Amino acid sequence: MALRHAVLAALLDGELSGYQLAKAFDVGVANFWYAQPQQLYAELTRLEKEGLVAGREVVQESRPNKRLFHVTDAGVAELEAFTAASAKPAFIRDDLLVKVQAADRVDTDALIAQLTDRARVAQAKIDLFGTLLHRLRGHRTEEEFLRHGDRIGPYLTCLRGVAFERENRDWCLRTVDVLKERRQLHARH
Amino acid sequence: MALRHAVLAALLDGELSGYQLAKAFDVGVANFWYAQPQQLYAELTRLEKEGLVAGREVVQESRPNKRLFHVTDAGVAELEAFTAASAKPAFIRDDLLVKVQAADRVDTDALIAQLTDRARVAQAKIDLFGTLLHRLRGHRTEEEFLRHGDRIGPYLTCLRGVAFERENRDWCLRTVDVLKERRQLHARH
DNA sequence: TCAGATTAGTCATTTTTATGACTACCATGG
DNA sequence: CCATGGTAGTCATAAAAATGACTAATCTGA
């Protein structure tokens, strides 16, 4: 039941509609969790029913109306309880790792292509996170912002995201090199 | 359906029993996937029914009998197909990140404790992976092993695991520092 | 000698996550 | 003037992962 807490944590930044939330959780900026829009709408409905978030209708012209949600006191209490409870250890769970694990026995061409693509995607995320970090800290240096800023949670998780994607990119490129070199050595026989 | 492929990939290293597989997928060395024993037994049953793995009974004295599984040709073909298909992007999904995202609004004492503990666990994994890497490459240097070794898949995924845990540890420690310093600044008012 | 850990598994069920198929309406570009 | 894409969602179902409760033997340390 971590999605619900991820949603609560995301809503701490201010009121968001389900649609906006979905954007934030989508491919782009999912720096601390990932979910499909449908999951988020469902979760918001449940959270509202339990009184952990509250929504207000915003009437728009020239665009469908939307409901903006914010975390209630009960919601903050729920987050508090969640934070106090012990966290389960995190694991990498990545199709690509499974494929690389089997690299000795399967065709490496497709794998090399996927690794290369993943490195590209990782670089794009690094750039995106870089922009995001800059926007969050404004004119301040990182040190200064982390000491005195008033909302550092998203900044810290974004830092984790950058580090993850950097490792991701570097490992993919390194693995591509290794696989390519072995392919060449093999071809010569 | 990646667990099945993770199991197939793991069995490429040689025959394993469900129990041994469970060990490999457990907290210790889950360097490319993680699963509970029950999930693995269930998956092995399914894989066997589909002919992707085959098991043979090994009668043991002074210990319960066991079934050792190996990947069949059909299993390798399945892995091949899986590798050729495009991989879905990987995301971090970690309770701790959610908690840090909410760090500005919840009690940080428990969080600091958890981050510290996570850093410790990460360090333990780094050490474990270090030993494992050394065992895999034997007397050879990494470069040499990756060029000429005959089973580099597990080595490469283990490298990814080390990098991940290192980032994990460093980020946890950094975050602890930030939170502690802010707590002090706050206390003075 | 007896409690607790280790080996080796099974069965049933719940929880969580993901997917597919939809509805509507507006704006913009070609 | 109409196809495409963005905004804003809903409903139902499938798939995957996790959990709880078991059996049964042996081996190990206090």
Side-chain angles (χ1 to χ4, degrees):
Chain A
M1 262 204 291
L3 174 60
R4 68 187 305 111
H5 300 109
V7 168
L8 288 172
L11 287 178
L12 290 179
D13 282 322
E15 284 186 322
L16 289 175
S17 69
Y19 190 75
Q20 291 172 304
L21 204 57
K23 290 276 163 191
F25 274 78
D26 198 28
V27 215
V29 208
N31 50 342
F32 75 103
W33 203 264
Y34 168 83
Q36 300 289 138
Q38 295 97 316
Q39 293 174 259
L40 295 170
Y41 284 116
E43 199 58 56
L44 280 173
T45 306
R46 272 193 294 269
L47 285 169
E48 191 178 27
K49 209 174 299 171
E50 295 173 41
L52 305 181
V53 305
R56 61 183 183 92
E57 183 93 11
V58 173
V59 179
Q60 299 184 116
E61 30 185 281
S62 93
R63 213 163 286 268
N65 295 345
K66 61 182 171 183
R67 303 198 61 215
L68 292 182
F69 293 93
H70 65 266
V71 181
T72 62
D73 290 348
V76 174
E78 172 68 27
L79 260 180
E80 193 87 48
F82 172 68
T83 303
S86 77
K88 51 178 84 162
F91 300 100
I92 299 184
R93 241 182 205 181
D94 185 352
D95 281 7
L96 256 186
L97 280 183
V98 175
K99 295 177 183 186
V100 169
Q101 174 85 14
D104 308 290
R105 298 288 291 275
V106 300
D107 172 50
T108 52
D109 283 11
L111 190 48
I112 286 172
Q114 286 179 45
L115 286 163
T116 306
D117 190 62
R118 177 65 67 83
R120 198 182 47 69
V121 171
Q123 182 60 56
K125 279 202 156 195
I126 294 167
D127 295 342
L128 184 67
F129 288 159
T131 311
L132 187 56
L133 285 174
H134 198 262
R135 207 169 68 215
L136 285 171
R137 74 168 173 266
H139 60 282
R140 288 163 290 190
T141 65
E142 184 163 303
E143 278 311 312
E144 206 181 306
F145 173 72
L146 286 176
R147 234 170 251 157
H148 307 295
D150 54 275
R151 179 97 179 93
I152 59 163
Y155 196 93
L156 288 169
T157 56
C158 197
L159 281 180
R160 183 72 189 86
V162 172
F164 177 73
E165 293 301 345
R166 249 203 282 268
E167 282 302 343
N168 222 356
R169 178 199 59 193
D170 293 348
W171 176 81
C172 285
L173 294 177
R174 166 86 163 120
T175 300
V176 166
D177 279 353
V178 169
L179 293 179
K180 276 188 176 166
E181 193 173 352
R182 287 170 68 92
R183 201 169 52 176
Q184 276 194 339
L185 287 174
H186 208 75
R188 258 184 241 134
H189 291 292
Chain B
M1 259 205 294
L3 173 60
R4 68 187 305 113
H5 300 109
V7 169
L8 289 172
L11 286 177
L12 290 179
D13 282 322
E15 285 187 320
L16 289 175
S17 68
Y19 189 76
Q20 290 173 305
L21 204 57
K23 288 278 162 192
F25 274 78
D26 199 28
V27 214
V29 208
N31 49 342
F32 74 103
W33 203 262
Y34 169 82
Q36 301 288 139
Q38 294 97 316
Q39 293 174 257
L40 296 169
Y41 284 117
E43 199 59 56
L44 281 172
T45 305
R46 272 193 295 267
L47 285 168
E48 191 178 28
K49 209 175 298 172
E50 295 172 41
L52 304 181
V53 306
R56 62 185 182 90
E57 184 93 11
V58 173
V59 180
Q60 299 184 116
E61 28 187 283
S62 93
R63 212 162 287 268
N65 295 345
K66 63 181 171 185
R67 304 199 59 215
L68 292 182
F69 292 93
H70 65 267
V71 182
T72 63
D73 290 349
V76 174
E78 171 69 26
L79 260 179
E80 193 87 46
F82 172 68
T83 303
S86 77
K88 51 178 84 164
F91 300 100
I92 299 185
R93 236 176 209 186
D94 185 350
D95 281 7
L96 257 186
L97 280 184
V98 175
K99 295 177 183 188
V100 169
Q101 174 84 12
D104 308 290
R105 297 287 291 275
V106 301
D107 172 50
T108 53
D109 283 13
L111 191 47
I112 287 172
Q114 285 180 45
L115 286 163
T116 306
D117 190 60
R118 177 64 67 83
R120 199 182 47 68
V121 171
Q123 182 59 56
K125 279 203 156 191
I126 293 167
D127 295 343
L128 184 68
F129 288 160
T131 311
L132 187 56
L133 286 173
H134 198 261
R135 207 170 68 215
L136 285 172
R137 73 167 174 267
H139 60 283
R140 288 164 290 190
T141 65
E142 185 164 302
E143 278 311 311
E144 205 182 307
F145 174 71
L146 286 177
R147 232 169 256 158
H148 307 294
D150 54 276
R151 181 97 178 91
I152 59 163
Y155 197 92
L156 288 168
T157 56
C158 198
L159 281 180
R160 183 73 188 87
V162 172
F164 177 74
E165 293 300 345
R166 250 203 280 268
E167 282 302 344
N168 221 358
R169 177 199 60 192
D170 293 348
W171 176 81
C172 285
L173 294 177
R174 166 87 162 122
T175 300
V176 165
D177 279 353
V178 169
L179 294 179
K180 276 188 177 167
E181 193 172 352
R182 287 171 67 91
R183 200 168 53 177
Q184 276 192 340
L185 286 175
H186 209 77
R188 260 183 241 136
H189 292 292

